[in-house]
Amino acid sequence: MDSATLIAIASIVTAGLTIALGSIGPALGEGRAVATALSSLAQQPDASSTITRTLFVGLAMIESVAIYCFVISMILIFANPFWNNVIAQAAGK
Amino acid sequence: MDSATLIAIASIVTAGLTIALGSIGPALGEGRAVATALSSLAQQPDASSTITRTLFVGLAMIESVAIYCFVISMILIFANPFWNNVIAQAAGK
Amino acid sequence: MDSATLIAIASIVTAGLTIALGSIGPALGEGRAVATALSSLAQQPDASSTITRTLFVGLAMIESVAIYCFVISMILIFANPFWNNVIAQAAGK
Amino acid sequence: MDSATLIAIASIVTAGLTIALGSIGPALGEGRAVATALSSLAQQPDASSTITRTLFVGLAMIESVAIYCFVISMILIFANPFWNNVIAQAAGK
Amino acid sequence: MDSATLIAIASIVTAGLTIALGSIGPALGEGRAVATALSSLAQQPDASSTITRTLFVGLAMIESVAIYCFVISMILIFANPFWNNVIAQAAGK
Amino acid sequence: MDSATLIAIASIVTAGLTIALGSIGPALGEGRAVATALSSLAQQPDASSTITRTLFVGLAMIESVAIYCFVISMILIFANPFWNNVIAQAAGK
Amino acid sequence: MDSATLIAIASIVTAGLTIALGSIGPALGEGRAVATALSSLAQQPDASSTITRTLFVGLAMIESVAIYCFVISMILIFANPFWNNVIAQAAGK
Amino acid sequence: MDSATLIAIASIVTAGLTIALGSIGPALGEGRAVATALSSLAQQPDASSTITRTLFVGLAMIESVAIYCFVISMILIFANPFWNNVIAQAAGK
Amino acid sequence: MDSATLIAIASIVTAGLTIALGSIGPALGEGRAVATALSSLAQQPDASSTITRTLFVGLAMIESVAIYCFVISMILIFANPFWNNVIAQAAGK
Amino acid sequence: MDSATLIAIASIVTAGLTIALGSIGPALGEGRAVATALSSLAQQPDASSTITRTLFVGLAMIESVAIYCFVISMILIFANPFWNNVIAQAAGK
Amino acid sequence: MDSATLIAIASIVTAGLTIALGSIGPALGEGRAVATALSSLAQQPDASSTITRTLFVGLAMIESVAIYCFVISMILIFANPFWNNVIAQAAGK
Amino acid sequence: MDSATLIAIASIVTAGLTIALGSIGPALGEGRAVATALSSLAQQPDASSTITRTLFVGLAMIESVAIYCFVISMILIFANPFWNNVIAQAAGK
Amino acid sequence: MDSATLIAIASIVTAGLTIALGSIGPALGEGRAVATALSSLAQQPDASSTITRTLFVGLAMIESVAIYCFVISMILIFANPFWNNVIAQAAGK
Amino acid sequence: MDSATLIAIASIVTAGLTIALGSIGPALGEGRAVATALSSLAQQPDASSTITRTLFVGLAMIESVAIYCFVISMILIFANPFWNNVIAQAAGK
């Protein structure tokens, strides 16, 4: 087991788990926000413009947390500095 | 156990767990959003167009989190850069 | 333990766990959506067409998450690129 | 421990766990749906035909998730491509 | 530890865990359905025929999930194809 | 550690855990059903015959799940086909 | 570590865990049933005979699940067929 | 590590865990029953004789589950048949 | 590592865990009972003698479960028959 | 690693975990009792003497469970019979 | 790894975990007590002196549990009898 | 396995888990805050300016916790002082 | 791996986990207290001085638990007696 | 694996986990506080100045707990005394 293999395995497993675990919180949080938005719309249809605007701002904030996880996951697969270092070393050897 | 085998195993296990764990949050969140939409429709049938439109926007946001997991899972199976690197090395050897 | 055996074991275990874990969220989410649909129907029988239509759209969205897991599970059993690669190598040896 | 034994053990354990874990979600989801159907029937006996029809459609959707698990479990026991491959190899040796 | 012993142990442990874990969901789901049926009966005694009929259909659906687990468990003990294969090999050796 | 010892240990441990884990769900489910039956009786004493009849049918369904576990547990202790096979082999050796 | 010691250890540990884990569900279920009985008695003192009779039937059903665990636990300590087999073998050696 | 030591360790650990885990369910169940009894007494002081009688019967049922655990725990420490067998063997050697 | 050391370690660890785990259930159960007693007293000050008497009987029952754990814990530290046996053997050697 | 070191380590770890785990239940139970006492006082200020007296008796009962853990923890650190035995042996050697 | 190092590591890890785990219960319990005190004050401002006095007594009881953990933690770091024994032995050697 | 590989693996795994685990709390907290904001808007549309301003301040506070995790995660990947030290050593060797 | 390294690793890991785990309880408890304070203020604005004073006393009590953890964590990093002892020994060697 | 590598790995992993675990409690607590603030504002818009002031004080208290974790995490990465000691030793060697 050389260094490149180990780093590749660690990157694969971590990339998957990062987005998998990181999706639980945002999905539940967005579900809750959307659910309350819908019951608020049913309760006060006149305030629909304020409610949907606030909802979209809130969803954007929550989605940003999921996107942090997605970004880290993508960096680990496609722009991993540790992997690049190992590949460069192997090439330069 | 050569490098290719280890990376293949890591990719298989991670791909499966990523979508499996990543489906829990979105499914529960969507279930909650749909449930509230239905009770809101029963409570205020006149606002059905606003409610269903907001519901679909919300479901799209939540579904996107599940799709992040699916994308990572598919990348790990069919476009895995670490696997390609190992296969290329083995071919070029 | 040769490579083919290890990849086969990893594929079997992952395929099973993927659909097993991946069924928990959608089943609970659909149960919740159906339950609310029923109580909404009892509360507002006149809106039954809107409610059932929204319910089926919602169930389709939630079911799609379960189907992602089923697809990954089936790919790991019947169209596993890592297994095909190993079998091809063994045949070409 | 030869390959056939290892694959057999992995298949047995995975088949059992798949249906065991995969039964938790659908059973709870169906329990919830049936429970709400019953309280809806008690609340609005006149809508019983709509309620039971929607209930059966919903139960079919939830049961389908349990059946995915059962199918994977059965495939792993009786139509396992990895096991067939190993048996074929052993026979052809 | 020969192959037969290992497969026997895996079958025993898996058979037990399958029905043990697989009984949690259905038992809780049925408990919930029965409980709601009873409170519905107390609330609307006139609808008792509809309620009990729907209850029995629902219990049958939930029980079917437990029976899937029982079937897999029984197959692993009394009709295990992997065990039969090993016994046949040992007999033919 | 010969085969008989290993199979005996696996059978002992599995038999115990099967009934232990398998008792949690049914006991909680029955507790819930009985509790609702009692509060329903207090709420609608006139429907006591319908309530107790439905309760006993429901308890029988839930108890059946516990009995599946007990049956598997007893089979593993007193009618274990794998143990019988090993004992037969040891006797015939 | 001879066979007898290993089987003895497995029996001791399993007997303890079986009754320990198996007591959680019945105790909670009975607690719930008794609690509801008491609040039902306070709410409808006139139905006390029906309530206490139904309570005792229900407690007997729930207690039976605990007794299954106790029976398995006692069998493992005092009437363990695997232990008897090993002792008989040791005596006959 | 001779057999006697191993069996002694297993007995000590199991005896402790049995009563420790086995105390959680009964204590919570009794707490719930007592709590409901108290609120029922406050709600309907006239039914105090029926309530306390039913409470004591219920507490006895729940306590019996805790006593099963205590009995197994005591048997493992002071009347352990496996330990006696080992001590007898060591004495007779 | 001689036998005495191993048994001493097992006794120390088990004694601590027994009372630690065994304190969770009774403490929560007593907290619940006391809390309900207080709210009952506030709701019905005239029934204070019945309430406090029932509370003390209930607390005694719950405390008895904690005391079972304390007794086992103390026996393991100060009257451990396995330890005595080992010390006696070491002294007689 | 001599016997004294092992027993010292076991005692240190167990003493810490005993009081740490043992503090969770009593703290939560006392928190609940105090909280209910305060809301009862707000609801019925005239019964403050009865409420505070019952509260202090209840807190004493719950605190006693925490003190059992503290006592075992202190015994393991400062009056550990197994440690004394080992030290005495080492001194007498 | 000599004895002193091992005992030092065990003391460090245990001291940290003791206060970390031991802070969960008291913090939650105090949070609950304070929260109820505040809502009681808002509901019955006239009883503020009784409420705050009872609150402080209750907080002191709950805090005492946290302080037990802190004391054990401090003893393990600064007055550890096992460590002192080892240091004394090392010095006297 | 040289030092650089080990530190790279630790950095990769930790970076992923940090943001994955660290996203659960903020996402749920923001979801709750947004949900309450929406229901408050529906309840009191006139206070929408105060509510949205307070919401954005609160979301910023909660988001800051997620950003702490993201910062640590980024530092571990792109500005890791331990990795720089190892690379510098390797270069200077 | 010499003693100093091991003690350093144990101190680092424990210091981090102590404050990480120790922050969960206080943060949740304070969140609950603050939340109730706010709803109490909205319900009874006239009692704001009593409420905020009681809130700050309560927050101080809860914060003190978090500070115990922070203190232990800081002692383990900057004033660790075991580390000082090892460093002193290494210097004096 | 030399000392520096081990301490670096421990520092990396602990720094990440500290802030990841330490963010769960504060984020949930702040979410709860903000949520209650918003519903209080909707309920009593006149008290908005008192409510927002109390909210910010409370958020500061809760945020301080998250900052304790961030500080420990930063110290472990950028001002780690154990790492400095090892680097100094390596430089002075």
Side-chain angles (χ1 to χ4, degrees), chain B residues 2-92:
Chain B
D2 56 349
S3 294
T5 309
L6 284 165
I7 290 182
I9 292 173
S11 302
I12 290 170
V13 172
T14 309
L17 287 184
T18 300
I19 190 64
L21 293 177
S23 75
I24 295 175
L28 292 179
E30 293 184 4
R32 185 170 192 170
V34 172
T36 324
L38 294 169
S39 69
S40 301
L41 281 175
Q43 188 187 338
Q44 192 78 281
D46 299 338
S48 70
S49 65
T50 316
I51 287 172
T52 54
R53 204 185 50 224
T54 310
L55 174 67
F56 293 159
V57 172
L59 286 182
M61 291 296 280
I62 303 173
E63 190 79 13
S64 74
V65 179
I67 287 171
Y68 293 165
C69 294
F70 192 58
V71 163
I72 295 285
S73 199
M74 280 294 171
I75 286 173
L76 289 180
I77 296 181
F78 292 115
N80 194 322
F82 304 107
W83 170 258
N84 293 344
N85 181 291
V86 163
I87 293 293
Q89 268 187 347

Side-chain angles (χ1 to χ4, degrees), chain L residues 3 6-7 11 14 18 22 25-26 29 33 36-37 40 44 51 54 57-58 61-62 64-65 68-69 72 75 80-82 85, chain N residues 1-2 5 8-9 11-13 16 19-20 23 27 30-31 34-35 38-39 41-42 45 55-56 63 67 73 76-77 83 87:
Chain L
S3 294
L6 284 166
I7 290 181
S11 302
T14 308
T18 300
T36 323
S40 301
Q44 192 79 281
I51 287 173
T54 310
V57 172
M61 290 296 280
I62 303 173
S64 75
V65 180
Y68 293 166
C69 294
I72 294 284
I75 286 173
N80 194 323
F82 304 107
N85 182 292
Chain N
M1 270 198 278
D2 58 349
T5 310
I9 292 172
S11 302
I12 291 170
V13 173
I19 189 63
S23 75
E30 293 184 5
V34 172
L38 294 170
S39 68
L41 280 175
L55 174 67
F56 293 159
E63 190 80 12
I67 287 172
S73 199
L76 289 180
I77 296 182
W83 171 257
I87 293 294

Side-chain angles (χ1 to χ4, degrees), chain H residues 2-82:
Chain H
D2 56 350
S3 294
T5 311
L6 284 165
I7 290 181
I9 292 173
S11 302
I12 291 170
V13 172
T14 308
L17 286 184
T18 300
I19 190 63
L21 293 177
S23 75
I24 295 175
L28 293 179
E30 293 184 5
R32 185 170 193 170
V34 172
T36 323
L38 294 168
S39 70
S40 300
L41 281 174
Q43 188 186 336
Q44 193 78 280
D46 299 338
S48 70
S49 66
T50 316
I51 288 173
T52 53
R53 204 185 50 223
T54 309
L55 174 67
F56 292 159
V57 172
L59 286 182
M61 291 296 281
I62 303 172
E63 189 80 13
S64 75
V65 180
I67 287 172
Y68 294 165
C69 295
F70 192 59
V71 163
I72 295 284
S73 200
M74 279 295 171
I75 285 173
L76 289 181
I77 296 181
F78 292 116
N80 193 324
F82 306 106

Side-chain angles (χ1 to χ4, degrees), chain E residues 54-84:
Chain E
T54 309
L55 173 67
F56 292 160
V57 172
L59 286 182
M61 292 295 281
I62 304 172
E63 189 80 12
S64 76
V65 180
I67 287 173
Y68 294 164
C69 294
F70 192 58
V71 163
I72 295 285
S73 198
M74 279 295 171
I75 286 173
L76 289 180
I77 296 182
F78 292 116
N80 194 322
F82 306 107
W83 171 258
N84 293 343

Side-chain angles (χ1 to χ4, degrees), chain I residues 41 43-50:
Chain I
L41 282 174
Q43 187 187 336
Q44 194 77 281
D46 300 338
S48 70
S49 67
T50 316

Side-chain angles (χ1 to χ4, degrees), chain D residues 9 11-13 17 19 23 31 36 44 50-51 57 59-60 80 84:
Chain D
I9 292 173
S11 301
I12 291 170
V13 172
L17 287 184
I19 189 64
S23 75
T36 323
Q44 193 77 283
T50 316
I51 288 173
V57 172
L59 286 183
N80 195 322
N84 293 344

Side-chain angles (χ1 to χ4, degrees), chain H residues 1-2 5 9 11-13 16 19-20 23 27 30-31 34-35 38-39 41-42 45 55-56 63 67 73-74 76-77 83 87, chain I residues 3 6 11 14 18 22 25-26 28-29 33 36-37 40 44 51 54 57-58 61-62 64-65 68-69 72 75 81-82 85:
Chain H
M1 270 200 279
D2 56 350
T5 311
I9 292 173
S11 302
I12 291 170
V13 172
I19 190 63
S23 75
E30 293 184 5
V34 172
L38 294 168
S39 70
L41 281 174
L55 174 67
F56 292 159
E63 189 80 13
I67 287 172
S73 200
M74 279 295 171
L76 289 181
I77 296 181
W83 171 257
I87 294 293
Chain I
S3 294
L6 284 166
S11 302
T14 308
T18 300
L28 293 178
T36 323
S40 300
Q44 194 77 281
I51 288 173
T54 309
V57 172
M61 291 295 281
I62 303 173
S64 75
V65 180
Y68 294 164
C69 295
I72 295 284
I75 285 173
F82 306 106
N85 181 291

